[in-house]
Amino acid sequence: MSEPKTPTPVPAGDTYKGWVFKWTNYIKGYQRRWFVLSNGLLSYYRTQAEMGHTCRGTINLATATITVDDACNFVISNGGAQTYHLKASCEVERQRWITALELAKAKAARMQAESDDSGDDFSPSSPPQAPGQGGGSQNTEVQSALRTLGSKVEDLSTCNDLISKHGSALQRSLSELDSLRLTGEAGDKIRQVTERATLFRITSNAMINACRDFLALAQAHSKRWQKALQAERDQRVRLEETLEQLAKQHNHLERAFRGAAQANATADNKSSAGPGKGEASDEDDDNEFFDAMEEAPEFITVPADPQFHKRSSSNVSGFNSEMCPDDQSLNEEPLAMNQESPSQELVPLKKRRTRIADKPNYSLNLWSIMKNCIGKELSKIPMPVNFNEPISMLQRLSEDLEYHELLDKASKCQSSLEQMCYVAAFSVSSYSTTVHRTGKPFNPLLGETYELDRRRESGYRSLCEQVSHHPPAAAHHAISDRGWTLRQEITVASKFRGKYLSIMPLGTIHAIFEKGNNHYTWKKVTTTVHNIIVGKLWIDQSGEIDVVNHTTGDRCHLKFAPYSYFSRDVARKVTGVVMDKDGKAHYVLSGTWDEKMEFSRVMQSSRGGENGTEGKQKTVYQTLKAREVWRRNPLPEGAESMYYFTDLALTLNEPEEGVAPTDSRRRPDQRLMEDGRWDEANSEKQRLEEKQRIARREREREAASQRTSSQSEDTVDEDSLTDPSLKSAPHENYQALWFERCEDRITGEQVHIYKGGYWEAKDRGSFEGCPDIF
């Protein structure tokens, strides 16, 4: 019989790979799949190219059963949860897999049984070794060698059992051959005996290989054991000497402490010395606090430098060292955000609040409010503050900057494709704050503004203004000292569908970087609030985003998968591919919009031939190991009683001096709600709405006197009912104070762009021309 070309299986612990036919369903039957047996786990893929990123299934052999159906078929099951019906190309190939699987199962069972004892061999409580001492590492090496040799001995035992099993089968076949008369069955029996002899040879080869490995390891480690044992003896002597020295030092410190205590007791009447020492101590504490704040940007530095591998946590993981060689400069920027005014460095940063009043538990008949609102625009539904959260839509829009570090990192990138990865992750990060936030923000009044000045802490400052009331539109402009600008004008369209509420943000977001003059744009996806009437409210994001670099033509297509009860994918999944202007893929992004995003560099892409039987070929990307680019910050303690606000959201409505009279922080109904006075907040909300109606009517009269033919069918307020007496003025009748309407040169849309003047007015302390809206 010819020698099979398939490699002979080796003892458990080594990887065994090959093509096996797997039963899929009654329509497609058996399909060829690439199986990999490694470390007691049997995994399969549609193609070999999928091994780097997409595993189709894995079964643990430690608890699995392996049964043989016929000459080529065999079944692997772990008790019902997973069952693989497999078929080899021939009986010899099937037996090779059975041998490898049984060896792997035996070893996996042993490892599982010994897992409880592994802590004794590698005690985590052992003291760390000094840099010059190698006893701990040598002890670990000895233990590892002993465990490996023990495993090889068990492999030999398993192989011996298999040899006995196959030898018995061979003996039975030979006995049957001897008892046969020369009939037509003789040829079949002879072939069977020949195949069984081949199987016996395969198992014997496996045992021989195991014996060879055992001997090689024993010879390689014999001298190391002697050295390791001697090192252990030396280490024990050094530890005994160190313990004796520590005991002497302890006695010395006790005597010194008693002497110092007596000296302090005699100096208690010297009051001047005490406060001086106390002030010095407080000053040291402050210095330590601000040093920790200054080290925070190390969390976004290049990980290729060994010093950055010691960080304990990170919001953003850097790419490789070739990506952003200038990222190290980010560590120094918080030390002096405004280098033109070095004196500002000496001023301590403002301490922001970390709590607000707990949310009151007020009951409300939701159906009595909602039953007459089905199919209406959300802006036409009268809503009490019970459904709100104590921030405005302008403040919610400013929350997009929570992960501004992504843009800081992007501004330092040399490659536009790698910069695109950061921008795409930033576009996803803005949704992480919505996973538990089921409250509705206050719709801003026309002319309402909100500033977020974090220039000294984070290098940026932001301004929002409500530039239109129907449709409600807010303009936003943020600029950073670290070389980026973010601007957007968002109009929210919403529909109440009875069971759920759909919120469709309309408008384009722009990110412009000074370095390279790269200009990115993207839009937001649809937000859906489920279980409006019955059940627990929950939020989902769905749709697609195209992040486009208009300077280079690079593009990133992101897909937000909607939640599905029948889907096997992880919930809130986001995937994307970064491509250049020619359509070549360079990076693959994956993760969830509520937790983290990872990236993988594409090394090669191809069409998956194995998927051709399904009528559609999918692109297969061969990628490097995935690395984290963004992770959501944990919520503060007690967030569930504070509207699930993040650390940034808790500070958005914190009162500040010097803001404009139209700033959202000065809105009285919103402030009353935050303080837990909801009844007063509802009354104040009605007063503000009526005041805005009066202002709207006044603008209409002025417009009518100038253009009598101008009429429009707008509503007045987010919470007003259809009032025929309230006709909104044309869009041109109201002019925003800090933004001007013009055509965007990139998208061609009519948008509001910041025209300047706000921060200068704040520096002067004079906001002339601001309307009285509160």
Side-chain angles (χ1 to χ4, degrees):
M1 192 170 183
S2 61
E3 183 74 11
K5 296 182 180 180
T6 306
T8 302
V10 293
D14 297 329
T15 301
Y16 188 65
K17 307 176 183 178
W19 290 102
V20 181
F21 290 91
K22 178 182 179 296
W23 176 263
T24 56
N25 52 53
Y26 286 100
I27 298 177
K28 299 177 182 177
Y30 283 95
Q31 296 291 323
R32 198 168 72 128
R33 296 291 183 261
W34 181 255
F35 278 80
V36 177
L37 174 61
S38 178
N39 296 327
L41 299 176
L42 179 66
S43 306
Y44 76 94
Y45 311 83
R46 288 186 177 177
T47 63
Q48 298 182 46
E50 286 189 344
M51 290 180 61
H53 54 84
T54 305
C55 178
R56 300 294 176 176
T58 300
I59 191 168
N60 189 352
L61 295 179
T63 58
T65 57
I66 304 171
T67 57
V68 178
D69 284 351
D70 52 30
C72 296
N73 293 354
F74 57 102
V75 180
I76 304 174
S77 175
N78 63 354
Q82 288 178 297
T83 301
Y84 294 166
H85 295 268
L86 307 178
K87 182 171 68 174
S89 58
C90 61
E91 185 176 359
V92 175
E93 178 65 20
R94 183 214 66 188
Q95 190 58 38
R96 284 198 172 115
W97 275 104
I98 293 296
T99 302
L101 290 169
E102 288 180 345
L103 287 171
K105 177 183 177 182
K107 183 169 183 178
R110 291 196 306 271
M111 296 298 292
Q112 187 175 23
E114 296 172 0
S115 60
D116 295 337
D117 301 331
S118 61
D120 298 335
D121 296 334
F122 306 99
S123 177
S125 60
S126 59
Q129 300 295 326
Q133 298 176 353
S137 61
Q138 291 175 350
N139 180 58
T140 302
E141 183 180 359
V142 171
Q143 295 292 344
S144 177
L146 291 175
R147 291 170 63 87
T148 303
L149 292 175
S151 175
K152 292 298 180 182
V153 171
E154 294 292 341
D155 289 344
L156 291 177
S157 175
T158 304
C159 288
N160 180 65
D161 296 339
L162 292 175
I163 288 176
S164 299
K165 176 181 176 182
H166 296 319
S168 300
L170 180 61
Q171 185 64 40
R172 286 195 301 270
S173 297
L174 293 174
S175 300
E176 293 173 359
L177 184 61
D178 292 337
S179 63
L180 283 177
R181 288 175 291 180
L182 296 177
T183 63
E185 298 178 353
D188 295 337
K189 287 297 181 179
I190 291 175
R191 284 194 295 271
Q192 182 179 4
V193 170
T194 304
E195 288 180 354
R196 293 189 180 277
T198 302
L199 298 178
F200 187 82
R201 178 184 51 78
I202 292 172
T203 307
S204 300
N205 289 339
M207 182 174 182
I208 292 173
N209 291 334
C211 292
R212 186 184 299 113
D213 293 340
F214 178 85
L215 294 175
L217 284 172
Q219 293 173 357
H221 288 288
S222 59
K223 294 183 180 180
R224 295 183 182 179
W225 294 340
Q226 297 176 3
K227 295 180 180 179
L229 291 175
Q230 183 61 39
E232 287 292 326
R233 296 189 187 97
D234 297 340
Q235 179 70 5
R236 185 184 64 182
V237 173
R238 286 195 295 267
L239 288 176
E240 291 174 352
E241 294 174 353
T242 303
L243 183 61
E244 184 178 357
Q245 293 177 0
L246 289 175
K248 294 179 179 179
Q249 293 177 3
H250 182 266
N251 293 332
H252 176 72
L253 289 174
E254 281 186 340
R255 290 193 298 269
F257 176 78
R258 295 191 190 98
Q262 294 176 358
N264 289 336
T266 59
D268 285 340
N269 56 346
K270 300 180 180 180
S271 58
S272 60
K277 293 182 180 179
E279 291 170 2
S281 176
D282 293 341
E283 184 179 0
D284 292 342
D285 292 342
D286 292 341
N287 289 338
E288 291 179 4
F289 173 80
F290 285 108
D291 286 344
M293 294 291 289
E294 291 165 0
E295 291 174 0
E298 289 185 7
F299 297 164
I300 57 174
T301 49
V302 181
D305 195 326
Q307 66 173 325
F308 300 124
H309 290 289
K310 299 180 180 179
R311 14 177 222 186
S312 58
S313 62
S314 175
N315 296 335
V316 180
S317 298
F319 291 112
N320 52 46
S321 58
E322 297 176 0
M323 178 175 180
C324 304
D326 298 334
D327 286 349
Q328 191 171 357
S329 62
L330 291 175
N331 299 330
E332 303 171 358
E333 290 182 4
L335 300 177
M337 296 309 302
N338 187 355
Q339 297 184 5
E340 297 179 358
S341 304
S343 61
Q344 292 184 3
E345 299 175 23
L346 303 178
V347 181
L349 299 177
K350 179 178 179 180
K351 185 175 178 60
R352 306 286 178 178
R353 68 181 183 181
T354 57
R355 287 199 61 84
I356 60 175
D358 290 348
K359 179 181 179 181
N361 187 17
Y362 288 143
S363 60
L364 188 67
N365 189 346
L366 178 62
W367 178 244
S368 64
I369 298 174
M370 290 295 183
K371 63 182 179 180
N372 296 323
C373 303
I374 299 177
K376 294 182 180 179
E377 281 282 353
L378 187 63
S379 60
K380 298 181 180 180
I381 300 177
M383 288 287 184
V385 299
N386 303 58
F387 298 102
N388 287 54
E389 57 182 11
I391 61 173
S392 72
M393 184 61 74
L394 301 181
Q395 293 166 315
R396 190 70 174 265
L397 200 60
S398 301
E399 271 194 88
D400 287 356
L401 297 170
E402 172 145 0
Y403 299 96
H404 63 89
E405 317 89 47
L406 292 170
L407 298 180
D408 294 343
K409 290 283 282 186
S411 66
K412 300 296 182 181
C413 290
Q414 301 293 337
S415 169
S416 62
L417 292 167
E418 293 159 334
Q419 187 179 70
M420 173 70 81
C421 293
Y422 278 111
V423 176
F426 176 79
S427 68
V428 175
S429 67
S430 61
Y431 299 99
S432 64
T433 62
T434 66
V435 62
H436 300 296
R437 301 272 289 279
T438 56
K440 172 182 174 293
F442 280 79
N443 270 17
L445 303 174
L446 189 62
E448 186 174 336
T449 62
Y450 179 73
E451 69 161 74
L452 183 63
D453 191 351
R454 294 290 191 270
R455 191 173 185 183
R456 295 188 59 251
E457 296 99 322
S458 305
Y460 72 87
R461 55 187 182 182
S462 147
L463 177 66
C464 294
E465 182 179 2
Q466 188 76 0
V467 296
S468 172
H469 194 68
H470 191 80
H476 179 211
H477 180 270
I479 187 170
S480 172
D481 295 337
R482 299 179 183 174
W484 56 264
T485 301
L486 184 75
R487 62 177 175 88
Q488 57 183 320
E489 180 177 346
I490 299 298
T491 300
V492 178
S494 53
K495 282 291 184 180
F496 176 57
R497 303 295 186 182
K499 290 185 177 181
Y500 63 90
L501 177 70
S502 295
I503 303 172
M504 294 79 70
L506 308 176
T508 304
I509 306 172
H510 298 253
I512 305 99
F513 294 91
E514 295 178 3
K515 188 176 183 178
N517 198 29
N518 290 323
H519 191 137
Y520 297 86
T521 62
W522 67 91
K523 296 180 181 291
K524 289 181 174 288
V525 296
T526 299
T527 300
T528 306
V529 184
H530 295 269
N531 294 343
I532 293 293
I533 300 300
V534 179
K536 183 178 179 180
L537 293 175
W538 62 278
I539 291 178
D540 191 25
Q541 313 286 349
S542 59
E544 297 182 358
I545 292 179
D546 279 315
V547 185
V548 181
N549 185 341
H550 295 274
T551 304
T552 63
D554 303 337
R555 180 182 298 269
C556 177
H557 181 75
L558 294 171
K559 182 176 181 181
F560 289 66
Y563 174 80
S564 174
Y565 180 80
F566 302 99
S567 176
R568 294 183 178 181
D569 287 335
V570 63
R572 309 181 182 98
K573 184 177 180 180
V574 181
T575 56
V577 180
V578 176
M579 299 182 177
D580 58 21
K581 63 180 180 180
D582 299 323
K584 180 181 178 182
H586 291 265
Y587 290 97
V588 173
L589 296 172
S590 62
T592 58
W593 54 262
D594 68 321
E595 186 63 29
K596 65 177 181 178
M597 288 295 293
E598 296 177 336
F599 78 96
S600 304
R601 187 177 183 89
V602 176
M603 305 306 295
Q604 185 179 354
S605 61
S606 61
R607 290 287 181 179
E610 290 299 319
N611 295 328
T613 58
E614 302 178 6
K616 182 180 179 181
Q617 288 185 335
K618 296 182 179 180
T619 303
V620 177
Y621 296 108
Q622 296 186 23
T623 63
L624 298 178
K625 184 179 179 181
R627 297 179 61 187
E628 189 175 280
V629 64
W630 163 77
R631 178 176 290 273
R632 178 177 64 94
N633 294 329
L635 291 174
E637 184 178 357
E640 62 278 0
S641 62
M642 298 184 294
Y643 310 90
Y644 286 98
F645 278 179
T646 62
D647 289 326
L648 175 63
L650 288 172
T651 66
L652 293 178
N653 205 43
E654 185 176 9
E656 289 189 15
E657 297 295 333
V659 298
T662 54
D663 196 272
S664 299
R665 298 177 181 88
R666 300 182 183 272
R667 182 164 175 166
D669 55 347
Q670 185 174 300
R671 181 65 61 190
L672 289 169
M673 181 190 178
E674 180 182 285
D675 295 338
R677 300 155 63 183
W678 285 16
D679 292 337
E680 299 175 57
N682 279 317
S683 301
E684 191 64 22
K685 187 169 183 285
Q686 294 178 7
R687 182 189 69 82
L688 292 176
E689 292 170 359
E690 183 59 30
K691 182 174 183 178
Q692 185 167 233
R693 292 188 182 97
I694 295 173
R696 173 64 61 89
R697 296 190 188 102
E698 182 63 29
R699 284 196 301 272
E700 289 178 358
R701 283 193 291 269
E702 294 178 358
S705 63
Q706 297 175 2
R707 295 182 299 175
T708 58
S709 62
S710 177
Q711 296 288 335
S712 67
E713 298 291 334
D714 293 328
T715 58
V716 175
D717 193 279
E718 54 150 337
D719 302 321
S720 63
L721 294 172
T722 54
D723 186 351
S725 64
L726 303 180
K727 300 291 183 179
S728 123
H731 190 82
E732 292 80 2
N733 288 344
Y734 177 80
Q735 298 293 333
L737 186 59
W738 308 110
F739 291 78
E740 60 181 353
R741 184 174 176 83
C742 60
E743 180 178 331
D744 191 288
R745 64 179 182 85
I746 298 294
T747 63
E749 302 172 345
Q750 290 292 321
V751 296
H752 284 81
I753 297 180
Y754 179 62
K755 62 182 179 181
Y758 179 87
W759 303 107
E760 292 78 5
K762 181 181 179 180
D763 293 339
R764 295 193 306 268
S766 173
F767 287 98
E768 299 178 359
C770 286
D772 179 15
I773 59 175
F774 298 143

